[in-house]
């Protein structure tokens, strides 16, 4: 099923991406004899960033070879497919699953052939002016195959009046606004780009193997480098374009510097705890947030229990700071798959019960502090609290290691629309009542920056604070933003 793009191939496999929901992982490998295999492993390590579809494009003998499919990395790539993805450079992408958008045409990397040759791109992030640009491009005759933000990059590159491929790319990037960590693959090179504000992470590593041959990897998170035994070099800096080619690694910073807006939610929930992000270890930060939470919102209890897995490091921190023992009152089934058949008869709290089971042995008659990283709609927390009560917990105090999630993310995290965010329209006391806990406390906005001694510079925390660091141009998104602002002013 791999597609081989000949010289005259048309645009293939454009993705249709829901504008507000585009959590993803990107990986790229240059100069490795088993490039596709390394990308496959990298995607495997980054499965948490996207579970809907996966794809790899490799470059071999003057053509790009691609394979994309719905499903988890392990299901999408079999040995024969990886063998077909020949060549010493390759890029890959995992896409997040969102309701109603599950379709192969959503899968990346996108692969196109334009006047400058074949080019593939994998994108993590969301643009805030994609619809506006699309309108302009269409007015000049561009024919879009999708509504994807990512397709805009391709059209801007293809229609640029610049002559060299790099100048076309810079020209295209200078017109887009928003969050983008990108990896491009051309026949002879790979290019990594991070937007000037640095919303989404992107790191560079080197293969340790032979010192005389330069092999490089770029990936959304460092945990991908660990698996393929690549040595971490550094982050792709905000606003930087790095070309990996026969000359090695070349850096270009064509844009004037702007204040950075690294996503704080990567630290709170999204990144893997064993990754080092923006120069810091995610696990350590989550533990520190848990400690801070215990300092800000202490309560008398018999034990601390995490909502696994995302609440675990913060719960450890809370337990350490409070002095209460850490116990696993909730056990997670890690093998929950998409093929699970639900019974026709309803079972209470079904969705959550498949994933989590409350242990009576641990909870019976106990005053319990439950630690989770965030509340979005509140439905999971509500079911968890009920499960804990059913298992005999005497008191349940929910502690959240982030501030209330108040607003949607326009820069690449899958938050639902504002109206679905329980904290956008309810006070903490109301949320506590809704979920049925004895008490509920969130981390303060200042407490979230405890790891930086309180300095918030360089981060985007719009989903918590409502301070959107980048103007949102597109109509649908602007509407949502205005609704949110109106809500806040009430
Ligand atoms: P909810 O029932 O909507 O309040 O879901 C809360 C749970 O969703 C928490 O346990 C979080 O760990 C998790 N969560 C938070 N943000 C996201 C996200 N962007 N995607 C998927 N899960 C999330």
């Amino acid at each position: 099923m791999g597609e081989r793009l000949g010289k005259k191939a048309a645009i293939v496999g454009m993705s249709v991406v829901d504008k507000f929901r585009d959590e993803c992982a990107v990986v790229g490998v240059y100069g490795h004899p088993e490039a596709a295999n390394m990308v496959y492993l990298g995607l495997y390590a980054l499965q948490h960033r996207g579970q809907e579809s996966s794809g790899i494009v490799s470059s071999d003998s003057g053509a790009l070879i691609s394979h994309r499919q719905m499903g988890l990395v392990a299901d999408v790539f079999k040995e024969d497919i990886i063998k077909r993805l020949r060549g010493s450079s390759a890029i890959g992408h995992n896409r997040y699953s969102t309701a109603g958008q599950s379709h192969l045409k959503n899968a990346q990397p996108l692969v196109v052939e334009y006047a400058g040759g074949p080019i593939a791109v994998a994108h993590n992030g969301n643009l805030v002016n994609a619809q506006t640009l699309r309108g302009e491009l269409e007015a000049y005759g561009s024919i879009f195959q999708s509504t994807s933000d990512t397709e805009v990059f391709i059209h801007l590159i293809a229609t640029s009046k610049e002559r060299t491929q790099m100048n076309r790319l810079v020209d295209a990037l200078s017109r887009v606004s928003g969050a983008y960590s990108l990896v491009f693959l051309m026949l002879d090179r790979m290019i990594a780009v991070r937007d000037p504000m640095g919303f989404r992470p992107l790191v560079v590593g080197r293969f340790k193997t032979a010192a005389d041959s330069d092999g490089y990897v770029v990936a959304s998170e460092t945990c991908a480098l660990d698996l393929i035994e690549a040595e971490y070099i550094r982050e792709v800096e905000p606003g930087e374009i790095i070309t990996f080619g026969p000359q090695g690694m070349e850096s270009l910073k064509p844009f004037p510097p702007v204040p950075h807006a690294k996503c704080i939610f990567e630290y709170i929930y999204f990144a893997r705890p064993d990754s080092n992000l923006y120069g810091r270890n995610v696990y350590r930060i989550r533990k520190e947030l848990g400690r801070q939470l215990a300092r800000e919102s202490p309560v008398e209890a018999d034990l601390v229990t995490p909502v696994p897995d995302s609440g675990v490091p913060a719960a450890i921190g809370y337990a350490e700071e409070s002095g209460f023992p850490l116990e696993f009152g909730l056990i997670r089934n890690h093998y929950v798959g998409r093929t699970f058949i639900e019974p026709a008869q309803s079972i209470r709290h079904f969705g959550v019960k498949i994933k989590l089971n409350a242990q009576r042995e641990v909870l019976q008659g106990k005053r319990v502090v439950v630690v989770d990283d965030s509340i979005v709609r509140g439905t999971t927390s509500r079911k968890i609290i009920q499960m804990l009560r059913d298992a005999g917990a005497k008191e349940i105090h929910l502690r959240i290691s982030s501030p209330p999630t108040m607003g949607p993310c326009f820069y690449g995290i899958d938050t639902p629309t504002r109206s679905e965010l329980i904290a956008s329209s309810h006070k903490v006391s109301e949320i506590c009542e809704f979920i049925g806990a004895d008490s509920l406390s969130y981390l303060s906005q200042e407490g979230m920056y405890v790891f930086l001694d309180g300095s918030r510079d360089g981060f985007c925390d719009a989903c918590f604070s409502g301070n959107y660091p980048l103007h949102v141009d597109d109509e649908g998104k602007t509407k949502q933003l205005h609704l949110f602002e109106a809500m806040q002013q009430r």
Side-chain angles (χ1 to χ4, degrees):
M1 282 171 287
E3 305 158 53
R4 199 176 167 93
L5 281 186
K7 282 260 165 350
K8 300 246 163 64
I11 291 176
V12 293
M14 287 302 185
S15 81
V16 182
V17 178
D18 178 333
K19 295 291 178 304
F20 303 109
R21 295 154 193 232
D22 201 10
E23 290 169 358
C24 300
V26 297
V27 182
V29 166
Y30 180 87
H32 191 288
E34 288 190 80
N37 219 328
M38 294 299 116
V39 170
Y40 161 72
L41 292 171
L43 292 176
Y44 206 98
L46 297 173
Q47 187 73 82
H48 62 287
R49 297 184 73 88
Q51 300 96 42
E52 178 189 85
S53 62
S54 193
I56 296 179
V57 174
S58 71
S59 170
D60 180 55
S61 316
L64 297 186
I65 310 164
S66 116
H67 180 83
R68 285 156 303 166
Q69 201 177 302
M70 301 307 294
L72 299 174
V73 177
D75 301 326
V76 169
F77 298 104
K78 301 294 174 202
E79 212 177 328
D80 57 322
I81 291 166
I82 296 289
K83 271 196 187 134
R84 233 184 292 144
L85 293 163
R86 290 179 304 275
S88 60
S89 54
I91 64 170
H93 188 267
N94 286 339
R95 190 169 178 270
Y96 192 71
S97 165
T98 48
Q101 293 286 317
S102 287
H103 199 284
L104 179 59
K105 64 187 170 183
N106 295 347
Q108 291 192 31
L110 302 185
V111 193
V112 302
E113 175 96 18
Y114 81 111
I119 181 169
V121 59
H123 173 205
N124 176 207
N126 274 149
L127 302 184
V128 293
N129 67 343
Q131 289 164 22
T132 313
L133 286 173
R134 185 191 166 106
E136 288 169 21
L137 284 159
E138 282 176 337
Y140 282 96
S142 284
I143 298 170
F144 276 73
Q145 313 271 314
S146 74
T147 59
S148 157
D149 282 13
T150 312
E151 192 181 345
V152 168
F153 288 105
I154 298 290
H155 282 276
L156 288 173
I157 292 170
T159 55
S160 169
K161 300 275 183 289
E162 295 291 337
R163 284 168 179 241
T164 67
Q165 209 161 36
M166 183 49 76
N167 286 349
R168 280 170 178 262
L169 174 62
V170 172
D171 187 29
L173 295 175
S174 67
R175 296 189 59 195
V176 298
S177 178
Y180 52 89
S181 283
L182 299 164
V183 190
F184 289 93
L185 185 66
M186 287 85 161
L187 293 179
D188 61 343
R189 53 209 144 128
M190 179 173 87
I191 296 177
V193 184
R194 191 159 167 217
D195 68 75
M197 300 182 85
F199 282 102
R200 308 254 69 87
L202 195 61
V203 297
V204 191
R206 184 189 289 120
F207 287 102
K208 283 176 196 158
T209 44
D212 51 335
S213 76
D214 285 331
Y216 294 100
V217 52
V218 290
S220 296
E221 290 181 40
T222 58
C223 64
L225 273 50
D226 295 340
L227 178 59
I228 58 179
E229 297 185 339
E231 171 197 6
Y232 172 78
I233 303 178
R234 64 179 176 84
E235 293 200 11
V236 177
E237 287 176 28
E240 188 179 23
I241 301 175
I242 304 182
T243 304
F244 302 90
Q247 319 305 330
M249 187 171 143
E250 285 171 54
S251 164
L252 184 70
K253 289 182 192 159
F255 307 113
V258 290
H260 296 170
K262 295 169 284 185
C263 171
I264 194 83
F265 197 66
E266 292 270 355
Y267 272 151
I268 288 177
Y269 168 79
F270 201 46
R272 242 173 70 161
D274 52 336
S275 284
N276 291 329
L277 198 72
Y278 320 138
R280 289 183 172 80
N281 177 253
V282 175
Y283 172 77
R284 277 190 187 287
I285 282 181
R286 287 186 190 161
K287 245 179 91 173
E288 201 47 52
L289 296 178
R291 279 183 172 278
Q292 178 65 14
L293 186 58
R295 286 191 284 266
E296 289 183 7
S297 303
V299 62
E300 270 310 307
D302 300 309
L303 59 95
V304 177
T305 199
V307 176
D309 292 324
S310 55
V312 172
I316 295 173
Y318 195 103
E320 280 181 6
E321 186 69 24
S322 65
F324 304 137
L326 181 83
E327 296 277 8
F328 279 79
L330 289 161
I331 300 296
R332 180 169 175 172
N333 180 346
H334 287 102
Y335 307 98
V336 178
R338 267 151 209 282
T339 50
F340 193 87
I341 302 156
E342 294 197 22
Q345 292 291 316
S346 77
I347 293 177
R348 271 189 319 143
H349 328 304
F350 193 72
V352 173
K353 266 192 172 155
I354 306 175
K355 248 199 208 172
L356 296 171
N357 192 19
Q359 302 208 73
R360 180 169 293 276
E361 197 66 29
V362 173
L363 301 162
Q364 178 78 51
K366 293 290 180 355
R367 297 168 300 166
V368 182
V369 175
V370 186
V371 181
D372 203 356
D373 64 281
S374 57
I375 295 178
V376 184
R377 295 176 179 84
T379 47
T380 310
S381 310
R382 187 181 187 165
K383 289 174 180 169
I384 287 172
I385 304 286
Q386 188 58 52
M387 276 170 56
L388 295 169
R389 285 220 193 279
D390 291 348
K394 194 167 78 182
E395 283 177 29
I396 302 167
H397 304 279
L398 183 60
R399 296 292 178 268
I400 302 296
S401 62
S402 66
T405 307
M406 312 266 278
C409 176
F410 299 106
Y411 315 121
I413 290 284
D414 172 31
T415 37
T417 53
R418 187 203 56 79
S419 59
E420 291 173 87
L421 295 168
I422 190 167
S424 73
S425 52
H426 293 82
K427 290 188 264 182
V428 175
S429 58
E430 292 168 342
I431 301 171
C432 183
E433 196 178 324
F434 172 75
I435 61 176
D438 292 290
S439 76
L440 166 68
S441 300
Y442 289 87
L443 187 66
S444 67
Q445 288 193 28
E446 300 69 39
M448 186 166 56
Y449 291 96
V450 63
F451 63 93
L452 286 176
D453 296 326
S455 161
R456 303 166 80 140
D457 286 355
F459 285 91
C460 172
D461 56 17
C463 53
F464 302 121
S465 65
N467 299 326
Y468 288 87
L470 190 62
H471 180 70
V472 178
D473 277 353
D474 288 340
E475 204 185 325
K477 296 172 191 171
T478 319
K479 237 187 228 167
Q480 266 218 47
L481 188 54
H482 289 164
L483 267 170
F484 175 56
E485 283 165 353
M487 185 81 224
Q488 281 200 312
Q489 279 156 18
R490 259 194 262 154

